[in-house]
Every structure is written in structure tokens, then in C-alpha cells.
Coordinates of all heavy atoms in Angstrom, one line a residue:
M1 N -38.0 25.5 66.3 CA -37.8 24.2 65.7 C -36.8 24.2 64.6 O -36.2 23.2 64.4 CB -39.1 23.7 65.2 CG -39.1 22.3 64.6 SD -39.7 21.0 65.7 CE -41.4 21.0 65.5
Q2 N -36.6 25.3 63.9 CA -35.6 25.4 62.8 C -34.3 25.0 63.3 O -33.5 24.2 62.6 CB -35.6 26.7 62.2 CG -34.6 26.9 61.1 CD -34.6 28.3 60.4 OE1 -35.4 29.1 60.8 NE2 -33.7 28.4 59.5
V3 N -33.9 25.4 64.5 CA -32.5 25.1 65.0 C -32.4 23.7 65.2 O -31.4 23.0 64.9 CB -32.3 25.9 66.3 CG1 -31.0 25.5 66.9 CG2 -32.4 27.4 66.1
L4 N -33.4 22.9 65.7 CA -33.3 21.5 66.0 C -33.4 20.7 64.8 O -32.8 19.6 64.7 CB -34.5 21.1 66.9 CG -34.4 21.8 68.3 CD1 -35.7 21.5 69.0 CD2 -33.2 21.5 69.1
T5 N -34.2 21.1 63.7 CA -34.4 20.2 62.5 C -33.6 20.8 61.3 O -33.5 20.0 60.3 CB -35.9 20.2 62.1 OG1 -36.3 21.5 61.8 CG2 -36.7 19.5 63.3
G6 N -33.2 22.1 61.3 CA -32.7 22.6 60.1 C -33.6 22.9 59.0 O -33.3 23.2 57.8
I7 N -34.9 22.9 59.3 CA -36.0 23.1 58.3 C -36.5 24.6 58.5 O -36.8 25.0 59.6 CB -37.2 22.2 58.5 CG1 -36.7 20.7 58.3 CG2 -38.3 22.5 57.5 CD1 -37.7 19.7 58.8
D8 N -36.4 25.3 57.4 CA -36.8 26.8 57.4 C -38.3 27.0 57.8 O -39.2 26.2 57.4 CB -36.5 27.3 56.0 CG -36.7 28.9 56.0 OD1 -35.9 29.5 56.8 OD2 -37.5 29.3 55.3
Q9 N -38.6 28.1 58.5 CA -40.0 28.4 58.9 C -40.9 28.5 57.7 O -42.0 28.1 57.7 CB -40.0 29.7 59.7 CG -41.4 30.1 60.2 CD -42.0 29.0 61.1 OE1 -41.4 28.5 61.9 NE2 -43.3 28.8 60.8
S10 N -40.4 29.0 56.6 CA -41.3 29.2 55.4 C -41.6 27.8 54.9 O -42.7 27.6 54.4 CB -40.6 30.0 54.3 OG -39.4 29.3 53.8
D11 N -40.8 26.8 55.0 CA -41.1 25.5 54.6 C -42.1 24.8 55.5 O -43.1 24.2 54.9 CB -39.9 24.5 54.6 CG -38.9 24.8 53.5 OD1 -39.3 25.4 52.4 OD2 -37.7 24.5 53.5
Y12 N -42.1 25.1 56.8 CA -43.2 24.6 57.7 C -44.5 25.2 57.3 O -45.5 24.6 57.2 CB -42.9 25.0 59.1 CG -41.9 24.1 59.8 CD1 -40.7 24.6 60.3 CD2 -42.2 22.7 60.0 CE1 -39.7 23.8 60.9 CE2 -41.2 21.9 60.6 CZ -40.1 22.5 61.1 OH -39.1 21.7 61.7
S13 N -44.5 26.5 57.0 CA -45.8 27.2 56.6 C -46.3 26.6 55.3 O -47.5 26.3 55.2 CB -45.5 28.7 56.3 OG -45.1 29.3 57.5
K14 N -45.5 26.3 54.3 CA -46.0 25.6 53.1 C -46.5 24.2 53.4 O -47.5 23.8 52.8 CB -44.8 25.6 52.1 CG -44.4 26.9 51.6 CD -43.2 26.8 50.7 CE -42.7 28.3 50.3 NZ -41.4 28.2 49.6
I15 N -45.8 23.5 54.2 CA -46.2 22.1 54.6 C -47.6 22.2 55.3 O -48.6 21.4 54.9 CB -45.2 21.4 55.4 CG1 -43.9 21.1 54.6 CG2 -45.8 20.1 56.1 CD1 -42.7 20.7 55.5
E16 N -47.8 23.1 56.2 CA -49.0 23.2 57.0 C -50.2 23.6 56.1 O -51.3 23.3 56.3 CB -48.8 24.2 58.2 CG -48.0 23.7 59.2 CD -47.6 24.7 60.3 OE1 -47.9 25.8 60.1 OE2 -47.1 24.3 61.3
S17 N -49.9 24.4 55.1 CA -50.9 25.0 54.2 C -51.2 23.9 53.0 O -52.1 24.2 52.2 CB -50.6 26.3 53.7 OG -49.5 26.2 52.8
G18 N -50.4 22.9 52.9 CA -50.6 21.9 51.9 C -50.0 22.3 50.5 O -50.2 21.6 49.6
R19 N -49.2 23.3 50.5 CA -48.5 23.7 49.2 C -47.1 22.9 49.0 O -46.6 23.0 48.0 CB -48.2 25.2 49.2 CG -49.5 26.0 49.2 CD -49.2 27.5 49.2 NE -48.5 27.8 50.5 CZ -47.9 28.9 50.8 NH1 -47.8 29.8 49.8 NH2 -47.3 29.1 52.0
R20 N -46.8 22.2 50.1 CA -45.6 21.4 50.0 C -45.7 20.2 50.9 O -46.4 20.2 51.9 CB -44.4 22.3 50.4 CG -43.1 21.5 50.3 CD -41.9 22.4 50.6 NE -40.8 21.6 50.7 CZ -39.5 22.1 50.8 NH1 -39.3 23.4 51.0 NH2 -38.5 21.3 50.8
Y21 N -45.0 19.1 50.6 CA -45.0 17.9 51.4 C -43.6 17.7 52.0 O -42.7 18.1 51.5 CB -45.4 16.6 50.5 CG -46.7 16.7 50.0 CD1 -46.8 17.1 48.6 CD2 -47.9 16.5 50.7 CE1 -48.2 17.1 48.0 CE2 -49.1 16.6 50.2 CZ -49.3 16.9 48.9 OH -50.5 16.9 48.3
Y22 N -43.7 16.9 53.2 CA -42.4 16.6 53.8 C -41.6 15.7 52.9 O -42.2 14.9 52.3 CB -42.8 15.8 55.1 CG -43.4 16.5 56.3 CD1 -44.7 16.2 56.5 CD2 -42.8 17.4 57.0 CE1 -45.3 16.7 57.6 CE2 -43.4 17.9 58.1 CZ -44.7 17.6 58.4 OH -45.3 18.2 59.5
T23 N -40.3 15.9 53.0 CA -39.5 14.8 52.5 C -39.3 13.8 53.5 O -39.6 14.0 54.7 CB -38.0 15.4 52.1 OG1 -37.4 15.8 53.3 CG2 -38.2 16.6 51.1
F24 N -38.8 12.7 53.2 CA -38.5 11.6 54.1 C -37.7 12.1 55.2 O -37.9 11.9 56.4 CB -37.9 10.4 53.4 CG -37.6 9.3 54.4 CD1 -38.6 8.4 54.8 CD2 -36.3 9.2 54.9 CE1 -38.3 7.4 55.7 CE2 -36.0 8.2 55.8 CZ -36.9 7.3 56.3
E25 N -36.6 12.8 54.9 CA -35.5 13.2 55.9 C -36.2 14.3 56.8 O -35.9 14.4 58.0 CB -34.3 13.8 55.2 CG -33.2 14.0 56.0 CD -32.7 12.8 56.9 OE1 -32.8 11.7 56.4 OE2 -32.2 13.0 58.0
Q26 N -37.0 15.2 56.2 CA -37.7 16.2 57.1 C -38.6 15.5 58.2 O -38.6 15.9 59.3 CB -38.4 17.2 56.2 CG -37.6 18.2 55.5 CD -38.4 19.0 54.5 OE1 -39.4 18.6 54.0 NE2 -37.9 20.3 54.3
C27 N -39.3 14.6 57.6 CA -40.2 13.9 58.5 C -39.5 13.1 59.6 O -39.9 13.2 60.8 CB -41.1 12.9 57.7 SG -42.5 12.2 58.6
R28 N -38.4 12.5 59.3 CA -37.6 11.8 60.2 C -37.0 12.8 61.3 O -37.0 12.5 62.4 CB -36.4 11.1 59.5 CG -35.5 10.3 60.4 CD -34.4 9.7 59.5 NE -33.2 9.4 60.3 CZ -32.4 10.2 60.8 NH1 -32.5 11.5 60.6 NH2 -31.4 9.8 61.6
K29 N -36.4 13.9 60.9 CA -36.0 14.9 61.8 C -37.0 15.4 62.8 O -36.8 15.5 64.0 CB -35.3 16.1 61.0 CG -34.0 15.7 60.4 CD -33.5 16.9 59.6 CE -32.3 16.6 58.9 NZ -31.7 17.8 58.1
I30 N -38.2 15.7 62.2 CA -39.3 16.2 63.0 C -39.8 15.2 64.0 O -39.9 15.5 65.2 CB -40.4 16.7 62.2 CG1 -40.0 17.9 61.4 CG2 -41.7 17.0 63.1 CD1 -41.0 18.3 60.3
A31 N -39.8 13.9 63.6 CA -40.3 12.8 64.5 C -39.2 12.7 65.6 O -39.6 12.5 66.8 CB -40.4 11.5 63.7
L32 N -38.0 12.8 65.3 CA -37.0 12.6 66.3 C -37.0 13.8 67.4 O -37.0 13.6 68.6 CB -35.6 12.6 65.7 CG -35.2 11.3 64.9 CD1 -33.9 11.5 64.2 CD2 -35.1 10.1 66.0
V33 N -37.2 15.0 66.9 CA -37.2 16.2 67.7 C -38.5 16.2 68.6 O -38.4 16.5 69.8 CB -37.2 17.4 66.9 CG1 -37.5 18.7 67.7 CG2 -35.9 17.6 66.2
L34 N -39.6 15.7 68.1 CA -40.9 15.7 68.8 C -41.0 14.4 69.6 O -42.0 14.2 70.3 CB -42.0 15.8 67.9 CG -42.1 17.2 67.2 CD1 -43.3 17.3 66.3 CD2 -42.1 18.3 68.2
N35 N -40.0 13.5 69.5 CA -40.1 12.2 70.2 C -41.4 11.4 69.9 O -42.0 11.0 70.7 CB -39.9 12.4 71.7 CG -39.5 11.1 72.4 OD1 -38.8 10.2 71.8 ND2 -40.0 10.9 73.6
T36 N -41.7 11.3 68.6 CA -42.8 10.6 68.1 C -42.4 9.7 66.9 O -41.2 9.6 66.6 CB -44.0 11.5 67.8 OG1 -45.2 10.8 67.6 CG2 -43.7 12.3 66.6
S37 N -43.4 9.1 66.3 CA -43.0 8.2 65.1 C -43.4 9.0 63.8 O -44.3 9.8 63.9 CB -43.8 6.8 65.2 OG -45.1 7.1 65.0
M38 N -42.8 8.5 62.8 CA -43.2 9.1 61.5 C -44.6 8.6 61.1 O -45.3 9.4 60.5 CB -42.2 8.6 60.4 CG -40.8 9.3 60.6 SD -39.6 8.6 59.4 CE -40.2 8.9 57.9
D39 N -45.1 7.5 61.6 CA -46.4 7.0 61.3 C -47.4 8.0 62.0 O -48.5 8.3 61.4 CB -46.6 5.6 61.8 CG -46.1 4.6 60.9 OD1 -45.7 4.9 59.8 OD2 -46.1 3.4 61.4
Y40 N -47.1 8.5 63.1 CA -48.0 9.4 63.8 C -48.1 10.7 63.1 O -49.1 11.3 62.9 CB -47.5 9.6 65.3 CG -48.4 10.5 66.1 CD1 -49.6 10.2 66.5 CD2 -47.9 11.9 66.4 CE1 -50.4 11.0 67.2 CE2 -48.8 12.8 67.1 CZ -50.0 12.3 67.5 OH -50.8 13.2 68.3
L41 N -46.9 11.2 62.6 CA -46.9 12.5 61.8 C -47.7 12.3 60.5 O -48.3 13.2 60.1 CB -45.5 12.9 61.5 CG -44.6 13.3 62.6 CD1 -43.2 13.6 62.1 CD2 -45.2 14.5 63.4
A42 N -47.7 11.1 60.0 CA -48.4 10.9 58.7 C -49.9 10.6 59.0 O -50.7 10.4 57.9 CB -47.7 9.7 58.0
G43 N -50.3 10.4 60.2 CA -51.7 10.1 60.5 C -52.1 8.6 60.3 O -53.2 8.3 60.3
L44 N -51.0 7.8 60.4 CA -51.3 6.4 60.2 C -51.6 5.7 61.5 O -52.0 4.6 61.5 CB -50.1 5.7 59.6 CG -49.8 6.2 58.1 CD1 -48.6 5.6 57.6 CD2 -51.0 5.9 57.2
T45 N -51.4 6.4 62.6 CA -51.6 5.8 63.9 C -52.1 7.0 64.9 O -51.7 8.1 64.6 CB -50.4 5.2 64.5 OG1 -50.7 4.6 65.9 CG2 -49.2 6.0 64.7
D46 N -52.9 6.6 65.8 CA -53.3 7.6 66.9 C -52.3 7.6 68.1 O -52.4 8.4 69.0 CB -54.6 7.3 67.3 CG -55.7 7.6 66.3 OD1 -55.5 8.4 65.4 OD2 -56.8 6.9 66.3
D47 N -51.4 6.7 68.1 CA -50.4 6.5 69.2 C -49.2 7.4 69.0 O -48.4 7.1 68.1 CB -50.0 5.1 69.4 CG -49.2 4.9 70.6 OD1 -48.9 5.8 71.3 OD2 -48.7 3.6 70.8
P48 N -49.0 8.4 69.8 CA -47.8 9.3 69.5 C -46.5 8.8 70.1 O -45.5 9.4 69.8 CB -48.2 10.6 70.3 CG -49.1 10.1 71.4 CD -49.9 9.0 70.7
A49 N -46.6 7.7 70.8 CA -45.3 7.1 71.4 C -44.4 6.7 70.2 O -44.8 6.1 69.2 CB -45.7 5.8 72.2
P50 N -43.1 7.0 70.4 CA -42.1 6.6 69.3 C -41.8 5.1 69.4 O -42.1 4.5 70.4 CB -40.9 7.4 69.7 CG -40.9 7.6 71.2 CD -42.5 7.7 71.5
Y51 N -41.3 4.6 68.3 CA -40.9 3.2 68.3 C -39.6 3.1 69.0 O -38.8 4.1 69.2 CB -40.7 2.7 66.8 CG -42.0 2.8 66.0 CD1 -42.0 3.5 64.9 CD2 -43.1 2.0 66.5 CE1 -43.2 3.6 64.2 CE2 -44.2 2.0 65.6 CZ -44.2 2.8 64.5 OH -45.5 2.9 63.8
P52 N -39.2 2.0 69.6 CA -37.9 1.8 70.2 C -36.8 2.2 69.3 O -36.8 1.8 68.1 CB -37.9 0.3 70.6 CG -39.3 -0.1 70.6 CD -40.0 0.7 69.6
R53 N -35.8 2.9 69.7 CA -34.7 3.4 69.0 C -33.6 2.3 69.0 O -33.5 1.5 69.9 CB -34.1 4.7 69.4 CG -35.1 5.8 69.6 CD -35.3 6.6 68.4 NE -36.0 7.7 68.6 CZ -37.2 8.0 68.1 NH1 -37.6 7.2 67.2 NH2 -37.8 9.1 68.3
K54 N -32.8 2.3 67.9 CA -31.7 1.4 67.9 C -30.6 1.8 68.9 O -30.5 3.0 69.1 CB -31.1 1.4 66.4 CG -31.8 0.7 65.4 CD -31.0 0.9 64.1 CE -30.9 -0.4 63.3 NZ -30.2 -0.1 62.0
T55 N -30.0 0.9 69.5 CA -28.9 1.2 70.3 C -27.7 0.8 69.7 O -27.6 -0.2 69.0 CB -29.0 0.5 71.8 OG1 -29.1 -0.9 71.5 CG2 -30.3 1.0 72.4
E56 N -26.6 1.6 69.9 CA -25.3 1.3 69.2 C -24.5 0.3 70.1 O -24.5 0.5 71.3 CB -24.5 2.6 69.0 CG -25.2 3.4 68.0 CD -24.3 4.6 67.6 OE1 -23.0 4.4 67.5 OE2 -24.8 5.7 67.3
N57 N -23.9 -0.7 69.5 CA -23.2 -1.7 70.3 C -21.8 -1.2 70.4 O -21.0 -0.7 69.8 CB -23.2 -3.0 69.5 CG -24.6 -3.5 69.5 OD1 -25.4 -3.2 70.4 ND2 -25.0 -4.3 68.4

């Protein structure tokens, strides 16, 4: 996952153990890589489906 998000494995360990919190940008990158929403990662919804993405014109 580090290659896809640029987030170091030690940071993931700290986040999972509660010693550190996601930054907005980290959460956004993880949601994009996992094809889910930031709300799902934050536990605000049980629906893992991502929101529709913006399309470029």
C-alpha cells in the first residue's frame, strides 16, 4: 500500500494502534486506493461504496 499512497508502513502501524491519526490527505489517498469513501474509513457509514467521482470536462 505504501507504493500506492506514499504513506510509510510505520505510520500505518501508529494509526492502527491509535498513536496517530490520519491527516486529511492520507485519508483521501487511502480512500482512493481502496475505492471507498472517506466517510466509510471514518466509520460514519456502513456503505463501503465510493461516492461518484468528478469527471474532467
Side-chain angles (χ1 to χ4, degrees):
M1 180 99 85
Q2 179 180 355
V3 174
L4 298 173
T5 63
I7 302 168
D8 187 62
Q9 180 60 42
S10 66
D11 287 338
Y12 281 116
S13 296
K14 291 174 188 171
I15 290 166
E16 289 173 351
S17 66
R19 294 179 296 166
R20 182 175 175 175
Y21 297 102
Y22 292 108
T23 65
F24 176 85
E25 191 58 32
Q26 287 173 327
C27 190
R28 182 183 159 284
K29 288 177 181 180
I30 293 168
L32 288 171
V33 168
L34 297 177
N35 197 35
T36 192
S37 70
M38 291 172 60
D39 283 352
Y40 182 73
L41 293 177
L44 299 174
T45 181
D46 292 331
D47 184 3
Y51 299 119
R53 306 271 191 240
K54 284 178 138 180
T55 56
E56 294 190 34
N57 297 331

